[in-house]
Amino acid sequence: MRWPVRKFDTGIAVALSVTSARMLARLSPRALETIMRFVSRGSMAATFRVATKAHADVIDSSIGMAGPHSCLPRSISVALLCRIRGYWPRWCVGVRTHPPFAAHAWIEAEERMIGEFTSPGAYQTMISIDRR
């Protein structure tokens, strides 16, 4: 199901996704995974262009989402914004493959990481949610 979002509604959609992401990021991993799987249902696969636009909209709306320690709420927010627009990227949570250890969350579209400046093999995916 694709929900139409008129141009003037974009700010509301971004604010809704950012606010929701901040709340969802506080949940346990199991609860968050369950909710994200549910939300992804019935969507179309996000293209690289759609996911990149959503990522830019989230970063532009909230400077806090651009920080190095905000990867989880940022990835949730971008995925939710894509979903509001009728699409779903691959939402991923994983760990760095080389020391030092670090957890990370990101989104992918068309098998490419969105808004990340690392090589694709830099992280081992632990949770991955594709559209359903």
Side-chain angles (χ1 to χ4, degrees):
M1 172 180 179
R2 186 161 190 267
W3 299 332
V5 177
R6 294 183 297 274
K7 189 167 191 153
F8 66 87
D9 291 336
T10 299
I12 295 168
V14 172
L16 179 63
S17 71
V18 169
T19 303
S20 299
R22 286 186 174 137
M23 291 186 295
L24 291 172
R26 296 178 182 180
L27 296 175
S28 70
R30 174 172 271 168
L32 178 57
E33 180 181 4
T34 300
I35 289 170
M36 296 299 275
R37 285 194 190 283
F38 178 78
V39 172
S40 71
R41 295 166 66 182
S43 60
M44 295 185 292
T47 62
F48 184 79
R49 182 174 172 227
V50 166
T52 302
K53 172 71 170 122
H55 184 270
D57 289 345
V58 166
I59 298 299
D60 290 346
S61 74
S62 173
I63 194 153
M65 288 291 182
H69 300 291
S70 60
C71 62
L72 182 59
R74 179 177 54 242
S75 67
I76 295 168
S77 182
V78 172
L80 292 177
L81 184 57
C82 284
R83 184 61 187 104
I84 289 170
R85 294 174 176 171
Y87 301 95
W88 186 261
R90 174 179 291 159
W91 180 73
C92 304
V93 176
V95 294
R96 192 177 306 178
T97 55
H98 301 293
F101 172 81
H104 190 55
W106 68 95
I107 62 163
E108 298 176 355
E110 297 176 355
E111 312 251 341
R112 298 189 300 191
M113 296 173 87
I114 307 297
E116 300 294 330
F117 302 105
T118 61
S119 63
Y123 295 99
Q124 173 65 46
T125 304
M126 307 301 279
I127 299 172
S128 174
I129 300 176
D130 283 318
R131 70 182 182 95
R132 289 184 170 227

